[in-house]
Amino acid sequence: MLNSVKNKLKLLWKFYQLRQITFQDYSEYKEYFLEEDKKSNWDPSTFSNIIEKNLNYKDNLNLVEIGVARGSTSKFTIEKLSDRISTYTGIDPYESNYDRTDGFSYYNQDLMDNLYRYVLEKVNDPRFKIIRKKSSLAYLDFENNSIDAVYIDGNHSYEAVMEDIKCWSPKVKEGGLLIGDDYLAFEGVKKAVNDSFSNFNEFGNTWFVEK
């Protein structure tokens, strides 16, 4: 019990420190993000790996990633799938305080605004764009049956994941993929997926279904 309380307090302190991060100009923010990228143990390959194994016959792919963060998955996927990609759209409002259970949401708004700029520079591909809206609104920008694969990795609360599944499923083409991260890491994600599908595939920490 005591260890649990200590761990929670350490996490809250870390989140508090994230809120205090601020710099004078973009070059300092960029340096900070570059250092965070170097320290990260995040595996950016999951989205592209699932696409390669399940959509290996398709080209001219239209892909959507919900929850872009520092853009590592976006950059890796575009580089790996290369000419097979037609469009790659990131959905991320870069808005502070979107989910109390997710440390990334504790970035203050200045940090979020500069991160948006950093990701556009980092990915640097004409096929890539970011729609800076919540996913519950951004889906309205897409026609039904227009997307080959969607990667859900935004707000990890139960309600948000349920809404993402409901809103984005019709946008995926027949035979396309609905993919989501953090199935094992967030209880809200796990419950939402279990409540939405009787059958789905697991790939490590990731879930996916073929439409």
Side-chain angles (χ1 to χ4, degrees):
M1 177 67 177
L2 183 59
N3 284 337
S4 176
V5 171
K6 286 182 178 179
N7 289 336
K8 188 171 184 179
L9 287 173
K10 285 172 64 177
L11 192 61
L12 288 173
W13 175 244
K14 179 182 177 182
F15 290 167
Y16 172 79
Q17 289 177 308
L18 283 176
R19 288 198 190 282
Q20 311 313 308
I21 297 170
T22 186
F23 301 103
Q24 292 298 313
D25 56 45
Y26 173 66
S27 64
E28 293 176 292
Y29 281 101
K30 182 176 181 178
E31 185 62 31
Y32 171 76
F33 296 134
L34 286 168
E35 287 301 314
E36 289 297 293
D37 280 347
K38 290 177 183 176
K39 292 188 293 184
S40 176
N41 60 3
W42 171 256
D43 180 5
S45 68
T46 301
F47 190 28
S48 57
N49 285 340
I50 293 174
I51 291 171
E52 281 194 318
K53 291 179 180 178
N54 295 274
L55 295 177
N56 59 357
Y57 58 93
K58 294 196 72 173
D59 291 321
N60 298 314
L61 294 168
N62 294 308
L63 306 179
V64 170
E65 179 186 356
I66 299 170
V68 179
R70 289 200 302 272
S72 295
T73 293
S74 304
K75 182 176 177 63
F76 185 93
T77 304
I78 290 172
E79 291 178 350
K80 186 174 183 181
L81 299 182
S82 189
D83 293 341
R84 293 182 59 197
I85 294 178
S86 177
T87 64
Y88 193 111
T89 305
I91 310 296
D92 201 316
Y94 287 100
E95 183 177 280
S96 186
N97 301 318
Y98 63 85
D99 180 2
R100 290 182 61 189
T101 67
D102 190 341
F104 191 79
S105 78
Y106 284 78
Y107 276 16
N108 62 59
Q109 194 55 52
D110 281 343
L111 207 63
M112 287 290 198
D113 291 338
N114 282 280
L115 179 56
Y116 166 73
R117 178 178 173 182
Y118 170 75
V119 171
L120 290 174
E121 286 186 9
K122 176 180 178 176
V123 177
N124 189 28
D125 190 288
R127 296 166 296 177
F128 176 72
K129 70 175 181 178
I130 295 175
I131 297 178
R132 200 171 173 183
K133 297 180 184 177
K134 291 182 178 180
S135 58
S136 57
L137 296 175
Y139 83 100
L140 295 170
D141 293 355
F142 295 81
E143 296 182 3
N144 288 349
N145 303 303
S146 63
I147 301 167
D148 293 288
V150 172
Y151 188 53
I152 299 173
D153 190 21
N155 188 326
H156 294 86
S157 69
Y158 171 79
E159 294 79 10
V161 177
M162 287 291 288
E163 187 170 34
D164 279 341
I165 291 171
K166 177 183 176 182
C167 291
W168 289 91
S169 291
K171 306 302 175 182
V172 177
K173 298 175 183 177
E174 290 297 321
L177 299 170
L178 191 69
I179 306 168
D181 197 32
D182 291 317
Y183 178 75
L184 301 177
F186 288 85
E187 282 302 316
V189 175
K190 190 171 189 176
K191 187 175 188 311
V193 174
N194 291 344
D195 287 353
S196 298
F197 306 104
S198 56
N199 292 295
F200 57 91
N201 302 285
E202 291 184 57
F203 183 80
N205 191 35
T206 302
W207 62 270
F208 69 95
V209 295
E210 182 178 330
K211 185 174 174 184

